[in-house]
Amino acid sequence: MNGASSASRPLVAPPRRTGATPLPGGRELGWAEWGPEDGVPVLFSPGAATSRSLGFGAGVVDALGVRLIALDRPGLGASTPQPERTFDDFAADVAALAAYRGLGRPAMVGNSQGAPFALACAAHGVTGPLAVVSGADEVADPRFAEPPFEEALPAELRGLIALSVSEPGAAQARFARLTPQAMWDMVLAGSPACDRAVYESPDFAAAYRHAMDEAFAQGPDGYARDTALAMGRWGIDLAAVATPVGFWYGEEDFSHSPDQGAGLAARVPGAVRHVVPGIGGALLWTHAADVLRVLLARTAP
């Protein structure tokens, strides 16, 4: 795999097209697109506290003929809030968007906290092949309270997980205190040097921080709901996933999953796990071409 060439080109670019698709009940789902309009559609479920405007694969999507469509989850960016939403609700929204826009069962990429939302779409059969990149793990799963992982999660995080399971409303209120600046500081503090080199590069930092500001434009509740869902028990039937799934983790990334997705991948039938050396959670941007090429190969009839 060859991610080295990413150093010579921008890792992000402004979207070419933006809009919002009407959903049943009167809500709207915001989206942004890159690549050719007649390209192979690939939906993107972005990471925590970011909006549709932070894509990936600048230049790569054109070369590969990919029509990348990033989605704002409800309450973030341009999407109408849905206060009590669930993972199942998001899968229903994506099904409605795909039907409205004639996308069929598109491939999907889920990054970081966007991963369980993408997995829910796959479990419901709404989407086709899936790439989970630096995916947040189900940290409330009981296996993380047992050896060898019981000490892998910091005490404060374990407390938030317990609160998300027992009192999701209280956890959501706690998460709603976060600001875009606090999120930026948290990302940098928890990242290895190889990731910070990506995140702090001027073009990427500007795009990332703009996406965080957009995500919080309607207030923090959209992010807070996302996080309460992601840190609690997912309730997603991963064994029901019947589409090809690839899990991608950087060798330096232990923050998204204590075992770099090994246990999570084992729960999805036929899943393939990739561990990429020399990078951590910034993998999606440094190795976009690799991720998309594998995804397209699984999308081809």
Side-chain angles (χ1 to χ4, degrees):
M1 297 191 179
N2 181 18
S5 62
S6 64
S8 61
R9 58 172 171 75
L11 301 182
V12 290
R16 291 188 187 170
R17 301 170 292 275
T18 60
T21 293
L23 298 172
R27 292 184 298 109
E28 291 186 332
L29 198 68
W31 49 264
E33 290 190 8
W34 295 257
E37 289 190 78
D38 61 351
V40 177
V42 175
L43 302 182
F44 177 41
S45 179
T50 58
S51 73
R52 60 183 177 170
S53 70
L54 184 65
F56 66 94
V60 171
V61 290
D62 290 291
L64 295 179
V66 167
R67 176 187 176 192
L68 183 68
I69 308 169
L71 306 177
D72 279 336
R73 291 184 289 277
L76 284 81
S79 289
T80 311
Q82 187 183 17
E84 300 301 319
R85 62 187 165 91
T86 65
F87 290 120
D88 291 347
D89 290 330
F90 182 72
D93 284 352
V94 171
L97 174 133
Y100 186 91
R101 304 195 68 196
L103 302 176
R105 290 178 64 244
M108 194 167 198
V109 175
N111 175 239
S112 187
Q113 194 161 278
F117 296 92
L119 284 164
C121 293
H124 281 273
V126 170
T127 48
L130 170 64
V132 172
V133 185
S134 307
D137 209 328
E138 187 177 9
V139 288
D141 188 279
R143 67 192 173 93
F144 288 123
E146 302 171 354
F149 300 116
E150 77 275 23
E151 297 301 324
L153 304 176
E156 182 179 3
L157 178 57
R158 291 200 302 271
L160 290 172
I161 294 166
L163 189 64
S164 297
V165 171
S166 63
E167 298 182 63
Q172 189 167 322
R174 182 92 165 264
F175 299 135
R177 301 174 190 170
L178 195 80
T179 64
Q181 181 62 50
M183 183 68 185
W184 172 253
D185 293 340
M186 186 168 63
V187 167
L188 292 184
S191 297
C194 55
D195 287 347
R196 291 197 301 272
V198 174
Y199 299 151
E200 294 182 302
S201 62
D203 289 347
F204 191 93
Y208 198 171
R209 301 202 67 168
H210 174 70
M212 287 194 292
D213 288 339
E214 281 191 334
F216 281 75
Q218 301 184 68
D221 289 345
Y223 161 78
R225 183 62 180 171
D226 268 10
T227 306
L229 287 171
M231 282 202 182
R233 294 305 306 270
W234 290 354
I236 301 170
D237 186 2
L238 297 178
V241 175
T243 193
V245 179
F247 288 86
W248 296 75
Y249 287 87
E251 196 173 54
E252 304 299 318
D253 180 13
F254 292 94
S255 61
H256 289 102
S257 171
D259 64 359
Q260 297 176 317
L264 187 58
R267 298 168 62 190
V268 177
V272 177
R273 178 171 162 261
H274 311 265
V275 179
V276 181
I279 195 63
L283 172 67
L284 179 63
W285 293 278
T286 60
H287 290 71
D290 296 328
V291 171
L292 288 172
R293 285 193 189 103
V294 172
L295 188 64
L296 290 175
R298 292 170 177 165
T299 303

